[in-house]
Amino acid sequence: MTDSDPTSSDGDDGEAGDAFTLSTFHEICQREGRPVLTAAAIASGLEVSQEGASERLSALVDRGEVERLSVSTDPVVWYPSELEDLTDRERVVIFPKRREIVVDRPDQFTRAQLSQFAHLADTNGESGYRYVVRAEDVWQAPHDSFDDLQRTMRQALGQRSEALEEWVESQWDRARQFTLRTHPDGYTVLEARSAEVMGNVARQKLEEEHVHAPISDTEDWVREGSEAAIKRILYEAGYPVQDERDLEGGDELPMDLHVRLRDYQQTWVDRFAEAGEGVFVGPPGSGKTVAAMGAMAHVEGETLILVPSRDLARQWADTLLEHTTLEADQIGQYHGGVKEVRPVTVATYQIAGMDRHRSLFDDREWGLVVFDEVHHVPSDVYRRSTHLQSRHRLGLSASPIREDDRQVEIFTLVGPPIGTDWEALFEAGFVAEPELEIRYVPWGEDEQANEYGSAEGRERYQIAAMNRGKIAETRYLLSAHPAAKALVFVDYLEQGREFADALDAPFVSGETPHHRRRQLLEEFRRDERDLLVISRVGDEGIDLPTADLAIIASGLGGSRRQGTQRAGRTMRPAGGALVYVLATRGTREEDFARRQLQHLGRKGMTVTEETVERSTDSDSDSDSDSDSSDE
């Protein structure tokens, strides 16, 4: 547009000048799809003369809000002053319809605020984060009122989003439609906020096995023992239940910790204290067990701790003695090896769920029940233990995801997730981020390759998993890191024995006697051994010592949680840890490996890939020719 454009006048320019701000400049940038503009583009956007546009731009320059730059293709371009340091600044973009929030370079405060109402769905491992606001995130937000939650949202986003806030408020309201409470006569009542929601939701979903009869238009008499089922059914219908029953807290049990909680651990405990229930979610090495002891110290009531194996029961008992003021005669274990019920009892899920033992736990009033490795709870065997009622319930898990997508049951049966995003712990130095690398290994024997080609289904997967070329590749990796303490994970007993013989290392499996298993792990922990081959028993049934190097030789068809557990064996405050995942080239193991580690990539870890070209028939230590790319 030129000075002689008949659509412009001095008067019009003056009115436009009064309204021209940095915000208007940004709007025109968005329309043009460019971060820098010419005066002609501004003139067109404002429908003023180019001279008038230049005057307005000069006014912004005088206020320090934009800069001008002469370039060869145009006399002058203009850009916001903030663009000079834009790469170092936090930026938030909201997509209200998708309920997504994309944040570039968020600071620690922003991430902490976002974690209170949004789920970290993805990160590029550098500066970009994608959050999704799900219904369950709003239901579980640690706030007493919607106004408090709204304030947190605005602090995190740095702006208001009317559409997103409206949806969040509707979910906040849904989470407060139903309440379980104790009637003065001692039985449990399900109460709805209105007769409409009681009739249209609860009485449509619940059966006679759940409730006896209506007490009023908004109240139903609950059958004893069906509380957990009611909570699960209504949660799945989109209406989480507030549990305000007057549950017994058991006898008092004063205790203190010998260790100081880290700031994020104290935050976990504080959030648990507010809700009375929850699941501590954090990477291996983040101190979930110690945080659980902090929760025990808050409750100060008799506590039942449920674990998957007797080895973990022993380790819990030892850790309680080491880190708390509890005495040995206050801590009992209840499993196949010993049966003691004491003020703090550590029992296996299997024992607690057996009919002949359940009365021992039912008859005692627990102030707190702790579900270690809580991702097991939805399974048919383990969930029988969730009938145990207590005033407080706490779960622990590095990764509560399940391949059957039944993790929702974890949060209805135990409590909402409480955690800190993994990358924040990496950045703060509390947990070391291991280097993860997938190595695509060629077949070690033509015979195995031929067997794979003619096999089908599960047999095909097993042949690829047991590729003997992985033994030579493991030797190569161990020789490349001669000073490292290493754990080699396998999924099959036969393969474990082959690796143990080839590497001259002990094989720890479910067949290893408990006393021998403890001896080997303790020797590794004391640096008397630097290499162990571990079966699936190492995924969570035992507390493995920390390693510098983890080599996952098989098990890639397992769950994402298994990948998390195995990679997590290197996650401790000391840095420099390495995780190598061996996948047979040209087989489905390639896809399995990517799927397992993609979950860790979304948590902020960097995952790389290497294609091994070196022949694995020999024990050559020569370096590999490889293709590398970031995932």
Side-chain angles (χ1 to χ4, degrees):
M1 184 174 293
T2 64
D3 292 344
S4 60
D5 192 314
T7 61
S8 298
S9 68
D10 290 344
D12 290 340
D13 281 357
E15 291 177 4
D18 295 337
F20 187 59
T21 64
L22 182 60
S23 177
T24 310
F25 185 96
H26 281 304
E27 289 176 4
I28 298 173
C29 283
Q30 288 183 331
R31 287 202 298 269
E32 294 287 323
R34 302 175 58 199
V36 299
L37 298 174
T38 63
I42 294 293
S44 175
L46 295 178
E47 295 185 357
V48 298
S49 68
Q50 188 162 335
E51 181 180 359
S54 296
E55 291 176 0
R56 287 155 180 73
L57 288 165
S58 296
L60 291 185
V61 169
D62 293 341
R63 297 204 295 269
E65 294 179 336
V66 300
E67 303 288 336
R68 74 180 85 202
L69 178 68
S70 296
V71 293
S72 58
T73 58
D74 196 278
V76 178
V77 294
W78 311 74
Y79 61 92
S81 301
E82 62 186 26
L83 195 63
E84 293 185 331
D85 64 345
L86 200 57
T87 56
D88 298 323
R89 293 188 56 187
E90 174 182 292
R91 287 176 289 175
V92 179
V93 181
I94 304 169
F95 300 92
K97 290 184 179 179
R98 300 203 303 264
R99 297 189 290 279
E100 290 187 359
I101 303 163
V102 177
V103 193
D104 187 42
R105 303 183 184 278
D107 61 27
Q108 196 60 45
F109 173 80
T110 298
R111 282 159 59 182
Q113 297 294 86
L114 283 167
S115 70
Q116 296 185 46
F117 64 90
H119 167 69
L120 178 59
D122 206 358
T123 174
N124 62 10
E126 298 175 1
S127 61
Y129 296 77
R130 182 174 68 89
Y131 289 85
V132 178
V133 185
R134 306 169 302 179
E136 56 264 37
D137 301 315
V138 179
W139 298 345
Q140 296 150 182
H143 295 281
D144 295 328
S145 68
F146 174 71
D147 288 344
D148 291 341
L149 173 57
Q150 186 181 56
R151 188 176 305 112
T152 296
M153 290 178 63
R154 291 176 180 177
Q155 288 175 341
L157 304 177
Q159 57 188 290
R160 299 184 182 188
S161 174
E162 188 173 327
L164 182 60
E165 289 182 8
E166 183 177 327
W167 181 84
V168 168
E169 185 172 15
S170 71
Q171 293 302 318
W172 177 271
D173 190 58
R174 283 178 78 95
R176 282 146 187 84
Q177 294 295 321
F178 291 103
T179 304
L180 282 174
R181 60 177 179 81
T182 302
H183 190 274
D185 291 338
Y187 57 85
T188 301
V189 172
L190 175 66
E191 183 176 12
R193 182 176 288 182
S194 68
E196 289 75 20
V197 75
M198 174 62 86
N200 294 332
V201 180
R203 289 174 183 162
Q204 296 293 324
K205 298 289 183 180
L206 302 178
E207 307 289 345
E208 289 185 5
E209 63 186 280
H210 304 123
V211 292
H212 287 287
I215 300 172
S216 71
D217 288 345
T218 58
E219 298 172 302
D220 277 2
W221 179 7
V222 173
R223 289 188 184 275
E224 186 175 356
S226 66
E227 294 87 355
I230 289 172
K231 291 167 70 175
R232 185 177 66 256
I233 291 168
L234 292 180
Y235 188 101
E236 290 171 351
Y239 290 87
V241 177
Q242 303 289 310
D243 194 342
E244 298 179 1
R245 289 173 291 162
D246 298 329
L247 295 171
E248 296 296 332
D251 292 339
E252 290 186 3
L253 183 66
M255 62 171 282
D256 291 310
L257 300 183
H258 292 318
V259 295
R260 183 178 179 275
L261 296 179
R262 298 167 180 167
D263 290 344
Y264 68 86
Q265 290 172 321
Q266 187 61 58
T267 299
W268 294 357
V269 173
D270 292 343
R271 289 183 62 177
F272 165 79
E274 290 175 9
E277 60 183 15
V279 176
F280 289 167
V281 179
S286 57
K288 295 183 293 295
T289 300
V290 172
M293 294 177 190
M296 291 172 62
H298 166 76
V299 172
E300 291 197 323
E302 295 195 347
T303 300
L304 174 64
I305 302 167
L306 298 174
V307 297
S309 71
R310 66 172 70 178
D311 287 302
L312 278 180
R314 294 191 186 98
Q315 288 153 16
W316 259 97
D318 292 343
T319 307
L320 285 165
L321 282 174
E322 179 183 356
H323 293 306
T324 74
T325 56
L326 294 172
E327 301 291 339
D329 61 358
Q330 295 176 296
I331 303 170
Q333 298 179 51
Y334 202 99
H335 47 71
V338 62
K339 292 178 174 61
E340 307 162 331
V341 178
R342 292 182 177 168
V344 174
T345 300
V346 191
T348 58
Y349 284 101
Q350 293 90 335
I351 287 284
M354 290 181 181
D355 291 338
R356 66 177 181 272
H357 298 291
R358 280 166 64 169
S359 62
L360 289 171
F361 303 108
D362 281 338
D363 293 344
R364 197 169 193 125
E365 295 175 350
W366 303 103
L368 172 65
V369 178
V370 178
F371 300 85
D372 198 4
E373 306 292 356
V374 72
H375 43 265
H376 287 299
V377 161
S379 67
D380 294 335
V381 173
Y382 285 62
R383 72 178 298 153
R384 283 182 290 184
S385 62
T386 61
H387 75 284
L388 294 163
Q389 298 298 305
S390 66
R391 183 171 295 173
H392 301 92
R393 298 155 75 83
L394 175 64
L396 309 178
S397 182
S399 183
I401 58 170
R402 290 177 58 91
E403 302 309 306
D404 58 9
D405 291 326
R406 292 174 67 185
Q407 57 264 27
V408 165
E409 295 190 26
I410 296 171
F411 307 131
T412 58
L413 295 170
V414 180
I418 298 170
T420 304
D421 81 66
W422 289 33
E423 194 168 358
L425 300 182
F426 296 153
E427 289 180 358
F430 290 120
V431 179
E433 177 187 353
E435 296 179 29
L436 276 70
E437 181 173 286
I438 306 172
R439 296 181 71 83
Y440 302 112
V441 181
W443 289 101
E445 299 176 358
D446 291 340
E447 182 182 352
Q448 277 190 309
N450 293 333
E451 288 178 2
Y452 178 84
S454 59
E456 294 180 357
R458 188 69 185 174
E459 181 186 4
R460 190 178 175 89
Y461 163 71
Q462 185 172 344
I463 293 169
M466 295 182 65
N467 171 15
R468 292 190 182 90
K470 295 178 180 181
I471 294 177
E473 181 63 21
T474 298
R475 282 202 187 104
Y476 165 74
L477 293 172
L478 292 173
S479 67
H481 306 285
K485 291 177 62 177
L487 297 173
V488 179
F489 291 96
V490 298
D491 237 30
Y492 299 97
L493 294 177
E494 179 185 347
Q495 184 185 31
R497 297 185 191 104
E498 288 182 353
F499 267 78
D501 290 342
L503 303 176
D504 191 24
F507 177 39
V508 179
S509 72
E511 295 181 347
T512 308
H514 287 283
H515 70 278
R516 176 61 174 160
R517 194 187 300 173
R518 289 198 301 274
Q519 178 187 356
L520 290 171
L521 295 176
E522 191 56 37
E523 289 172 357
F524 190 92
R525 194 173 281 112
R526 294 198 302 259
D527 297 331
E528 296 170 10
R529 289 187 180 275
D530 58 8
L531 177 62
L532 292 175
V533 180
I534 307 286
S535 75
R536 285 184 181 183
V537 74
D539 291 341
E540 56 193 27
I542 56 178
D543 183 17
L544 286 179
T546 305
D548 309 309
L549 173 65
I551 299 174
I552 301 173
S554 61
L556 305 184
S559 66
R560 291 166 288 171
R561 186 183 68 249
Q562 184 185 53
T564 301
Q565 295 284 355
R566 290 181 170 183
R569 298 308 180 184
T570 63
M571 291 185 200
R572 294 297 186 270
L578 301 167
V579 179
Y580 292 107
V581 176
L582 307 185
T584 300
R585 240 169 54 195
T587 71
R588 288 191 63 194
E589 275 203 317
E590 293 189 353
D591 295 332
F592 288 144
R594 291 191 185 99
R595 185 192 66 181
Q596 263 200 356
L597 298 189
Q598 188 179 49
H599 172 63
L600 295 174
R602 285 197 296 266
K603 291 182 176 294
M605 297 188 199
T606 301
V607 181
T608 60
E609 301 176 51
E610 293 282 346
T611 299
V612 177
E613 302 292 351
R614 163 177 39 82
S615 171
T616 55
D617 291 331
S618 69
D619 292 339
S620 170
D621 289 342
S622 63
D623 203 355
S624 61
D625 297 325
S626 59
D627 300 321
S628 176
S629 64
D630 287 341
E631 182 174 277

